[in-house]
Structure formats: C-alpha cells, structure tokens
Amino acid sequence: MRPLRIGVIGSWSGPYAGGGRQFDAGMAVWLAAHNQHIAGRPVELLRRDVPGSAPEQARRHAQDLVESERVELLAGLDFSSNAYAVGNVATQAKLPLVVMNAASSGITARCPFAVRVSFTIGQVALPLARWALQQGLRNVCTVVADYASGVDAESAFVSGITAGGGQVGAMLRVPLSTLDYSAYMLRLRELKPQAVFFFLPSGQMPATFLKFWRDRGMADTGIRLLATGDATDDHYLEGIGELADGLVTSHHYSFAHDSAANRRFTGIFENEYGSHLRPGYFAVAAHDALAAVDAAMSSPAARGNATGERLVDAFRGLKLDSPRGPVEIDAHTRDIVQTVYIRRVERRDGRWVNREFERFERVRDPGV
C-alpha cells in the first residue's frame, strides 16, 4: 500500500519549539490508536522546521514538500503569517492544507484549499466579552500585543462589549519586545475599570505580565483580570500556575475537560510521555487534524482515492468527537465550529488546571 505522505510545517527549534513538540505528541497519540494508518494507508510525516514567524522560509519548505517530496497534504502551521504563505503554495498545487494552530480569521477565505481544525482568536475572545457582560462587567480596558493576533483579540472583545452596551476606557497596545509593564499598570490604576482583558502570545509574555500584575498589587484594586486561553496553555501551566491562580480565561480545550474522549486522549498521552509533558491546545488540534484527514479520506465523497478539490470537499461538514468536545468543519467556510469554555485556573489534586465552568456551544468564527 502506497504511504500517505503529509508535509508538516511548524516550530521545532527556537523560542517556540514547544509548539512543534506538541504537534508531534498529538499526532503520535492518534497514530498509536490507529495502527499508524490513515484511511487504511501507512503514514509518512515529513517535518519542516520554521522557527517562528518566517513566511518566506515556510513558503520555500512547502514548495519543496510539494515538488520534491510529492506530499498529498500539507499541515501544521503555528503562525498565521506562515499559513498565508503556505496557503498560496497549496492553492497553486491544489493540495489540502490542514491548519493545526494559526488563528487569523482570514486564512480559509484567502486559501480555498485550507481546512482549519484549531480555532480563531475572535472565536474565543467574543464569548469572553459576552460572559463578562453577564457578570455585570461593563467598564473594561484591554491590553494586547501589537501584532495581527493581538489586534484580532482586541477587535473581537471590544465589539462584544460595546454591542452589549458596555464601555471600553482604553485599548492599550504593547510592543512584542516589552519586558516592563510598569507604565501599563499605572495607567490601568488611573482608569480603574471593572475588568482588564489581555492578549499576549503564548509563552513568556503572559507570565511576565502576570508577575507585574501581582508585584504591583493590581489584584488589590478589585480590577478583574480576563484573558484567552493562550495565557494559560496547559503545556506550561504548571510553571506559571501560582501567578495565574484564579485567572478567568476562554478557550476551546483544557487538559481537565471532563469527557470520555479526553480521558482516553490524556491517558494515552501520559502513558507515552509521562506526567512531565501535558497536552495543550496544539496537541489536541494535531490529534484532530489526523482524525479529520482519516474521516475525509474514508468518506463516500473521497471514494476512488480523491485528491485536490474533491478531497477538500470531503472535509466539509465533517463532525468529530474530539477530546475538546464536539467539533465540526463548516461546510461553507471550511473553518472550525466548536464549544468555547469559560475556565478558571485552580489547583486540583496537586496540579494546576484550567477548570471549565461555563460554555458557549457551536461557536463560529465571528470574523467570517
């Protein structure tokens, strides 16, 4: 049987290498449970390392995977800038591109061969704004990193607050190189909003922001702090748990999600990697990417070893029982439809977790 060759582009070196490891682990868990086969075919994963946002490098790797390695699908993509570049290659080659993280709203609209199994920033930020209004938090400020995803988060959260009659006292944008948040803390003290929403790229920036929040005594002001789940990604939550204690976030996956599918997923994950590596949202999206490829290639729509547009069409309307809960690929947009959870960081059984306590079901990307 001819192997199914999938080109996977992500970060396996540099400051974002944890994302590549999570991609690997999530795919390995799915393959281990399915005898290393997709739709009856053995699988070859051809990885290409693009450490961080480097669209030209991502494009070159994609071109090589298509022309020299003859892959049948492209996948991965942790940064949206890289996804747009690879999307151009996928469109020219007429190959499906399965997006396992990149969260800019425009990716599937720009690339007719892209299918997203992750999330969008707006998809998780807007429900948090609605939840905040339900709690009576009508006077807010935002602090976001000054790049595309930060602006997406700001736009979605602000639109949700203002649509519900709330007010936004200030929208503060932070350079990605920021190490000192003192001036921002001072400004927020002066404004005295009921809540502050922040979005900073997953990794060191949220931890630094939370440390300044604690050290400047911001919790004592009574201001509520809200964020998307990028700030408390499960795979590094143990390292920042105390700083994030009580933080309310919105996201589509938690290691602590209570379902049979997630217990199977986390159980296999822990057997394979031990307790030192916990699955985060990168891992669950990589797992679901292979599940979606298997379902699409096994479907009646893909009968006869479908490729190109026919295979992309086979993804439309797919429904999966994911470890995060029920997910669906929108038949029109090829984007993910899923439950968004409101969570609180808590210590449970000696481990820091994002405990889900409220949900918004069948959420679509509001940017489409």
Side-chain angles (χ1 to χ4, degrees):
M1 176 71 71
R2 181 168 53 91
L4 173 63
R5 293 165 68 82
I6 303 175
V8 186
I9 297 172
S11 298
W12 280 275
S13 64
Y16 302 102
R21 290 194 294 271
Q22 287 278 313
F23 279 168
D24 280 348
M27 291 187 292
V29 167
W30 193 91
L31 288 169
H34 294 85
N35 196 31
Q36 308 297 318
H37 281 62
I38 287 178
R41 295 170 61 184
V43 179
E44 289 184 15
L45 300 174
L46 288 76
R47 295 169 180 80
R48 294 294 184 270
D49 182 22
V50 181
S53 177
E56 183 54 31
Q57 184 181 1
R59 188 197 63 76
R60 287 197 305 271
H61 279 314
Q63 203 79 49
D64 178 66
L65 286 164
V66 169
E67 295 176 357
S68 301
E69 301 292 352
R70 301 295 180 185
V71 297
E72 293 182 48
L73 297 100
L74 293 165
L77 285 312
D78 41 0
F79 283 82
S80 292
S81 56
N82 298 346
Y84 284 117
V86 173
N88 291 333
V89 176
T91 300
Q92 291 167 3
K94 296 188 175 181
L95 288 186
L97 168 62
V98 184
V99 177
M100 302 192 321
N101 183 67
S104 169
S105 288
I107 292 170
T108 57
R110 186 90 63 84
C111 174
F113 287 83
V115 175
R116 181 161 20 212
V117 296
S118 52
F119 73 113
T120 72
I121 299 297
Q123 186 178 48
V124 296
L126 184 59
L128 185 59
R130 292 172 176 163
W131 179 84
L133 289 169
Q134 291 170 5
Q135 311 312 302
L137 303 174
R138 308 182 68 80
N139 177 16
V140 305
C141 290
T142 62
V143 180
V144 304
D146 193 7
Y147 76 125
S149 292
V151 174
D152 280 354
E154 177 190 82
S155 175
F157 188 81
V158 166
S159 68
I161 290 292
T162 55
Q167 295 182 320
V168 181
M171 294 183 288
L172 308 178
R173 294 188 181 177
V174 178
L176 283 168
S177 58
T178 299
L179 298 174
D180 186 340
Y181 293 91
S182 302
Y184 300 98
M185 300 298 163
L186 183 60
R187 179 76 175 123
L188 293 170
R189 273 185 177 275
E190 292 171 349
L191 291 165
K192 297 180 182 175
Q194 292 173 287
V196 169
F197 167 77
F198 77 94
F199 176 90
L200 302 168
S202 185
Q204 188 55 44
M205 284 188 79
T208 304
F209 181 86
L210 289 168
K211 189 173 188 304
F212 271 87
W213 187 270
R214 182 194 66 187
D215 293 349
R216 297 300 187 274
M218 295 298 291
D220 298 333
T221 65
I223 300 172
R224 297 280 297 275
L225 193 58
L226 310 172
T228 62
D230 310 72
T232 60
D233 185 356
D234 284 293
H235 95 270
Y236 65 75
L237 182 57
E238 282 295 329
I240 67 162
E242 199 164 328
L243 288 172
D245 189 11
L247 178 64
V248 171
T249 64
S250 58
H251 228 220
H252 56 292
Y253 177 67
S254 167
F255 167 79
H257 179 67
D258 186 14
S259 73
N262 193 48
R263 285 190 288 274
R264 285 194 300 271
F265 176 64
T266 55
I268 297 170
F269 202 101
E270 191 151 333
N271 286 340
E272 191 71 27
Y273 298 100
S275 58
H276 68 281
L277 183 65
R278 183 191 290 189
Y281 62 94
F282 274 64
V284 81
H287 170 278
D288 291 350
L290 298 194
V293 171
D294 179 70
M297 296 189 78
S298 303
S299 70
R303 219 175 260 140
N305 199 22
T307 58
E309 292 177 9
R310 278 189 61 204
L311 182 52
V312 171
D313 285 343
F315 284 95
R316 297 178 186 273
L318 269 185
K319 295 181 180 180
L320 300 172
D321 181 21
S322 163
R324 62 185 119 166
V327 300
E328 177 183 343
I329 304 300
D330 186 282
H332 301 291
T333 66
R334 292 162 281 107
D335 224 324
I336 190 85
V337 182
Q338 61 191 330
T339 303
V340 174
Y341 304 92
I342 308 300
R343 312 100 52 85
R344 183 177 288 108
V345 175
E346 296 179 358
R347 196 156 178 78
R348 180 191 292 177
D349 299 326
R351 306 177 85 176
W352 290 103
V353 297
N354 292 294
R355 184 182 66 81
E356 299 163 353
F357 62 90
E358 202 157 318
R359 67 183 62 196
F360 292 79
E361 295 181 344
R362 301 200 79 244
V363 180
R364 286 175 161 78
D365 173 31
V368 175

